[in-house]
Amino acid sequence: MAEAPKVEEVISHHEPMDQLQGFEYCIDSNPSWGEAIALGFQHYILALGTAVMIPTLLVPAMGGSDGDKVRVFQTLLFVGGINTLIQTLFGTRLPTVMGGSYAFVVPIMSIINDSNLRQIVDPQQRFLATMRAIQGAMIVASSIQIILGYSQLWGICSRFFSPLGMVPVISLVGFGLFDKGFPLIGGCVEIGVPMLILFVGLSQYLKNLQAKHLPIMERFSLILSIAIIWAYAQLLTASGAYKHRPHLTQVHCRTDMENLISAAPWIKIPYPLQWGAPTFDAGHAFGMMAAVFVSLIESTGAYKAASRLASATPPPAYVLSRGIGWQGIGILLDGLFGTGTGSTVSIENVGLLGATRVGSRRVIQIAAGFMIFFSILGKFGALFASIPFTVFAAIYCVLFGLVASVGLSFLQFTNMNSMRNLFIVGVSLFLGLSVPEYFREFTAQANHGPSHTGAGWFNDIINTIFSSSPTVALMVAVFLDNTLDYKDAARDRGMPWWVKFRTFKGDSRNEEFYTLPFNLNRFFPPA
């Protein structure tokens, strides 16, 4: 008769860990230059998805031509590269790519549909007038993040965030964009599904394949998958497979539908006020402020996810505020250059840190260099941007899910045998998904949000805030967590573990991860 297993063999106990394990390169360790450049290019390719999708959605509605769409795409990529360098050098210093944000779509669409702008007959003039109005609103609204960041107010607010309260926020940064995943794959199943299967297969099942002791498949599965499926999509397009298919199918499947390459100039350097002098309207600015606030909350969750995927400690309140302040400067640059939308942390690039197990800051700075370089060389940048968006949607299914699971990993620092904690996490997750879904469905059916009063700025604020899953989750989770038996639940909430990361000097590792370069901490000592 077989010997009964020992109790310690049956009960598997995993102690909570500050940092994720298995990362060969963390935030301040770097791969070889060759590997770092290849990884940086991979992050650049991934950033193209949002950089193309947002102008494709907004510019035609503004009256812009294909040439205008390409210029907005180039500008968004150029300013994104600058903002990424700023954030990695002087902001949080986490390896985060800064890209365009969907949170700004609601107030931007409100500006596009402004009756004063819609009555402009000439499409080009309407595009320029709309772009200038968006720029003006963004310049004013950027003050929200600049003030909350540099005044340290957001850092003070973050002291009310516990690991329990952050779980729904970080998780819904990933889960909240579920409508950008498989529904878009369904637009071109013959490309999307093979991409999803190939990416998972290479990155997970073949990840141990090595060449010269380098795990090629784990590091570069994304670029390999994209190259194979892109070539396959190009073959289908060239063979005429979509010639008689519905227009929407062609948009999702063809590699030549966006007219990006033909419309792109060979060399074009974006510059401030390239669309003309911004115009300012109080109503537009108030609506845009809501989007800036949403971007702030989504980025807060993304920074905390990135810190775990870079094997760093959670960013202290001072560092978080510093990053938000610089992000506000980034949105100000968006307004000055005219990117068509505001900036936030690119969630998919955060997920790629985990997929490659490389959280190096240098890799992201190289990616920023590629963003700036290829945005100036228009034809080359447009060539890579012709990858069908369905390919990116397949990648999002993996990388957004990975970021969501990082949020769930914060549960290890809490007591999930507590009914109080179960209630808070469950309700905030459900409402964080359900409330924005209601706002989206209502808008799709009625062509306006649930808030539809005579005050357009008020409608924009309500419709923008409650269309964001992380924002709804933060409001519900933080309120419940700080009002529901909070005095007796400090240990259950994970506060004993969390408290040492609130201040810069609370953990000795913070200096290694978050100290400013060029000895700038002498002039800006951390709080």
Side-chain angles (χ1 to χ4, degrees):
M1 185 174 178
E3 185 179 349
K6 297 178 181 178
V7 174
E8 58 267 25
E9 292 175 346
V10 175
I11 301 174
S12 176
H13 183 63
H14 301 282
E15 290 291 335
M17 304 187 76
D18 294 346
Q19 297 168 287
L20 291 175
Q21 302 300 295
F23 277 70
E24 187 172 345
Y25 302 105
C26 64
I27 186 171
D28 54 356
S29 61
N30 302 308
S32 66
W33 277 105
E35 188 180 350
I37 290 170
L39 286 164
F41 184 73
Q42 192 167 235
H43 275 277
Y44 157 73
I45 290 293
L46 184 59
L48 289 175
T50 302
V52 173
M53 189 65 176
I54 292 179
T56 300
L57 173 69
L58 297 177
V59 172
M62 295 161 64
S65 63
D66 286 338
D68 295 323
K69 182 168 64 178
V70 169
R71 282 186 67 191
V72 173
F73 153 68
Q74 288 179 277
T75 305
L76 183 57
L77 207 59
F78 181 82
V79 177
I82 293 173
N83 287 340
T84 299
L85 286 177
I86 289 174
Q87 195 61 239
T88 54
L89 284 170
F90 309 116
T92 59
R93 306 216 69 216
L94 288 165
T96 50
V97 171
M98 305 302 292
S101 171
Y102 290 100
F104 291 80
V105 169
V106 172
I108 287 173
M109 289 304 297
S110 179
I111 293 173
I112 290 172
N113 292 320
D114 187 296
S115 57
N116 292 327
L117 295 170
R118 296 297 292 181
Q119 67 186 9
I120 300 175
V121 178
D122 181 68
Q124 184 63 26
Q125 291 302 315
R126 187 169 82 249
F127 167 75
L128 291 173
T130 306
M131 177 61 80
R132 292 168 189 164
I134 293 170
Q135 287 181 262
M138 210 166 288
I139 289 170
V140 174
S142 66
S143 61
I144 295 290
Q145 287 194 8
I146 293 173
I147 292 170
L148 287 176
Y150 291 126
S151 69
Q152 294 294 312
L153 279 173
W154 189 243
I156 294 170
C157 292
S158 71
R159 295 174 186 272
F160 293 96
F161 304 162
S162 70
L164 184 76
M166 282 292 98
V167 166
V169 180
I170 302 170
S171 295
L172 290 185
V173 164
F175 287 145
L177 291 172
F178 68 94
D179 58 323
K180 300 291 189 294
F182 206 86
L184 287 171
I185 291 178
C188 189
V189 175
E190 61 268 34
I191 291 176
V193 171
M195 179 65 202
L196 178 60
I197 293 171
L198 186 62
F199 182 46
V200 172
L202 294 182
S203 65
Q204 301 303 314
Y205 290 95
L206 299 179
K207 64 182 178 183
N208 293 322
L209 284 181
Q210 296 190 355
K212 296 182 179 179
H213 305 292
L214 179 67
I216 294 289
M217 292 302 178
E218 182 178 64
R219 292 279 195 277
F220 305 109
S221 57
L222 184 137
I223 197 74
L224 290 170
S225 304
I226 288 178
I228 293 169
I229 300 300
W230 189 19
Y232 167 57
Q234 187 70 42
L235 185 65
L236 289 176
T237 301
S239 66
Y242 302 112
K243 190 173 292 184
H244 304 295
R245 300 287 294 276
H247 177 73
L248 194 58
T249 301
Q250 295 193 40
V251 169
H252 285 294
C253 299
R254 294 180 68 104
T255 58
D256 58 358
M257 280 300 291
E258 298 299 343
N259 299 323
L260 292 175
I261 299 175
S262 60
W266 281 102
I267 297 177
K268 181 73 176 181
I269 301 177
Y271 55 91
L273 308 183
Q274 60 186 333
W275 310 107
T279 57
F280 298 92
D281 179 275
H284 296 164
F286 278 119
M288 197 67 75
M289 284 178 183
V292 171
F293 181 68
V294 166
S295 168
L296 179 154
I297 291 173
E298 292 179 351
S299 293
T300 297
Y303 287 136
K304 292 187 182 296
S307 67
R308 283 195 60 78
L309 290 173
S311 284
T313 53
Y318 167 79
V319 172
L320 189 61
S321 279
R322 188 176 72 193
I324 292 301
W326 278 109
Q327 189 171 315
I329 297 292
I331 294 174
L332 177 62
L333 291 176
D334 290 326
L336 290 172
F337 279 81
T339 61
T341 188
S343 294
T344 191
V345 177
S346 174
I347 308 302
E348 54 268 36
N349 288 91
V350 172
L352 189 58
L353 300 177
T356 59
R357 302 195 189 196
V358 176
S360 168
R361 184 189 295 123
R362 177 183 290 174
V363 166
I364 300 303
Q365 291 170 338
I366 291 171
F370 278 119
M371 292 166 74
I372 294 170
F373 179 73
F374 282 114
S375 64
I376 294 173
L377 296 179
K379 294 287 187 188
F380 292 99
L383 172 65
F384 295 121
S386 66
I387 301 169
F389 191 74
T390 306
V391 171
F392 292 105
I395 299 168
Y396 292 171
C397 288
V398 177
L399 300 185
F400 279 105
L402 185 55
V403 172
S405 66
V406 170
L408 296 176
S409 75
F410 278 84
L411 289 173
Q412 67 185 300
F413 308 113
T414 68
N415 176 16
M416 290 313 291
N417 291 312
S418 161
M419 279 305 302
R420 172 195 180 275
N421 288 1
L422 291 172
F423 176 85
I424 292 171
V425 171
V427 170
S428 54
L429 278 172
F430 187 88
L431 290 178
L433 285 168
S434 193
V435 172
E437 182 64 15
Y438 162 71
F439 272 71
R440 282 191 289 265
E441 286 187 6
F442 190 103
T443 303
Q445 293 175 7
N447 289 324
H448 61 76
S451 179
H452 189 55
T453 67
W457 60 270
F458 177 79
N459 298 335
D460 289 344
I461 290 174
I462 298 298
N463 293 331
T464 300
I465 288 176
F466 289 99
S467 293
S468 165
S469 291
T471 306
V472 174
L474 181 132
M475 291 190 294
V476 175
V478 172
F479 174 78
L480 292 175
D481 192 36
N482 286 278
T483 57
L484 197 61
D485 301 329
Y486 69 98
K487 290 184 179 178
D488 302 322
R491 183 170 296 278
D492 287 350
R493 299 165 67 200
M495 294 307 286
W497 171 80
W498 190 258
V499 70
K500 64 182 177 182
F501 300 118
R502 283 180 169 182
T503 60
F504 194 88
K505 296 179 181 178
D507 191 288
S508 59
R509 294 168 292 180
N510 289 336
E511 187 171 348
E512 174 190 354
F513 299 138
Y514 299 115
T515 298
L516 291 172
F518 318 122
N519 209 16
L520 288 174
N521 274 56
R522 288 185 306 165
F523 307 103
F524 306 100

